Amino acid sequence: MAASPAHPPPDDGGFFVPDDVPPALADLLREIGPPRYRDIPLDALRSGYVESRRPLAPEPPALASVMDQIIGGPGGPLRVRIYRANFGWRPVPALLFLHGGGWTIGNLESHDILCRQLAAASGHTVVAVDYRLAPEHPYPAALDDAWAALTWLAASAERLAIDPLAIGVAGDSAGGNLAAVLALKARDEGGPHLKTQVLIYPCTDLNADRPSHHRRAGGYLMSREQYLWYVDNYVNGADCNDWRLSPLLAGSLAGLPPAVILTAGLDVLQDEGREYAARLAGSGVPVLHTVYPDMVHGFITLGGRLPQAQKAVSDIAKGLASFDIYNFIDGAGI
């Protein structure tokens, strides 16, 4: 029997689509409808999230191999899914991917097609992590699982035909939060070496009080109330000012790997994602920050209906390729 949420979900009544949403997107938002979380068991929320995304995703691209594997995790067996675009004669770059879903919903299936797209577009081997979810497993369970997967990937690089100097971390929303924290943790602990980080509308300050949280509080697919519920489930009383929860509040962002950052203009998280990109750049970290002004939170998994989602995947691949050139010219092995 599924556990109940740690705190009552938000009241999502009175759903509306604001006037500044483009017509095609507005129609899609009305079709998806308001996020219904009240009085629904967590297992139903989770399965419903996966099912609702499936018809809105694009056709999956063909890959050379997709394989699940069980590795050792801090809470027991941990499942990862390995996506290979091709098999060649030399090791390839890799991305460790952490899915979104507010640390509460989402799994390997909800982001399966996105991972296939990223592998096909970039040529990277993508390794997705089925980390433990809140509220049953609050902070730091998801982060501990993500770190275990990263250290396993680095140690297994030769066996997986992955270049150990070309491993990156990636994630969307809550997964972007985990990816950003992994980059800081790897820097502070002397490895694993990371070549890049891909942060897709990331959560970077879980205090959740920047202007966009109020400006985009309702009607844009993810409401402020829904987001606060996610944060409450994950944090479970921990200090949101800790950089392991809020990487934007880290004392220094210097020495982190180059970052590809995507933000959405109609997203409660817009300001904290934009500020994280600015702080990275101000700390001397190469940053490619792309804003999708007419998009909402979660848009990249809706590529079957939104051409901007397909463009976002292409932009990530181009960003990763540009950092390949940067690293080659710079010769610094960032």
Side-chain angles (χ1 to χ4, degrees):
M1 183 174 180
S4 298
H7 298 282
D11 180 0
D12 295 308
F15 179 75
F16 69 99
V17 177
D19 293 339
D20 58 354
V21 176
L25 178 57
D27 291 342
L28 178 57
L29 295 183
R30 293 188 186 97
E31 180 182 328
I32 295 173
R36 297 295 186 188
Y37 283 69
R38 183 172 291 281
D39 300 324
I40 302 177
L42 271 178
D43 56 355
L45 292 179
R46 289 166 178 162
S47 62
Y49 176 71
V50 174
E51 292 303 318
S52 69
R53 289 300 182 267
R54 189 164 290 145
L56 304 175
E59 288 297 314
L63 297 176
S65 172
V66 178
M67 177 183 69
D68 284 12
Q69 183 168 338
I70 302 297
I71 66 173
L78 180 61
R79 188 163 61 121
V80 299
R81 182 169 295 170
I82 304 168
Y83 302 82
R84 293 193 68 95
N86 50 63
F87 292 102
W89 59 272
R90 63 178 183 178
V92 299
L95 280 178
L96 185 80
F97 185 84
L98 293 313
H99 67 78
W103 311 273
T104 301
I105 59 176
N107 57 23
L108 296 183
E109 304 306 327
S110 63
H111 288 66
D112 178 72
I113 292 180
L114 175 59
C115 289
R116 291 171 186 264
Q117 290 179 283
L118 291 172
S122 69
H124 286 51
T125 291
V126 175
V127 179
V129 185
D130 199 21
Y131 59 84
R132 288 171 291 170
L133 298 176
E136 306 98 317
H137 305 287
Y139 170 81
L143 177 58
D144 288 346
D145 286 354
W147 181 252
L150 177 60
T151 54
W152 168 83
L153 178 58
S156 306
E158 182 177 0
R159 181 176 61 82
L160 296 173
I162 287 168
D163 182 348
L165 297 180
I167 295 174
V169 289
D172 65 316
S173 191
N177 168 275
L178 294 171
V181 173
L182 285 183
L184 284 160
K185 185 173 171 66
R187 179 200 65 181
D188 291 351
E189 299 194 11
H193 171 89
L194 293 180
K195 182 180 180 181
T196 191
Q197 52 184 320
V198 178
L199 311 179
I200 305 167
Y201 33 78
C203 318
T204 65
D205 181 358
L206 272 54
N207 290 291
D209 203 30
R210 279 170 171 74
S212 60
H213 279 275
H214 304 281
R215 186 171 64 248
R216 307 297 184 193
Y220 298 97
L221 193 58
M222 183 175 74
S223 69
R224 170 174 167 75
E225 287 299 318
Q226 180 187 357
Y227 178 65
L228 291 174
W229 178 67
Y230 286 146
V231 169
D232 202 25
N233 285 337
Y234 178 53
V235 170
N236 193 35
D239 182 5
C240 285
N241 294 312
D242 188 327
W243 64 265
R244 296 167 188 82
L245 287 165
S246 299
L248 182 56
L249 305 184
S252 171
L253 301 185
L256 291 175
V260 178
I261 298 181
L262 280 57
T263 56
L266 305 179
D267 181 9
V268 293
L269 302 184
Q270 180 194 20
D271 288 348
E272 59 193 75
R274 181 171 54 190
E275 189 174 335
Y276 198 69
R279 270 205 68 196
L280 284 169
S283 301
V285 177
V287 176
L288 289 174
H289 176 205
T290 304
V291 181
Y292 301 83
D294 295 331
M295 287 293 100
V296 294
H297 190 83
F299 80 92
I300 201 169
T301 60
L302 308 178
R305 297 286 293 276
L306 297 175
Q308 296 91 334
Q310 303 274 21
K311 181 180 183 301
V313 172
S314 177
D315 287 343
I316 290 170
K318 290 175 182 176
L320 292 171
S322 74
F323 286 142
D324 284 340
I325 296 172
Y326 170 84
N327 285 331
F328 176 77
I329 294 174
D330 182 74
I334 296 176

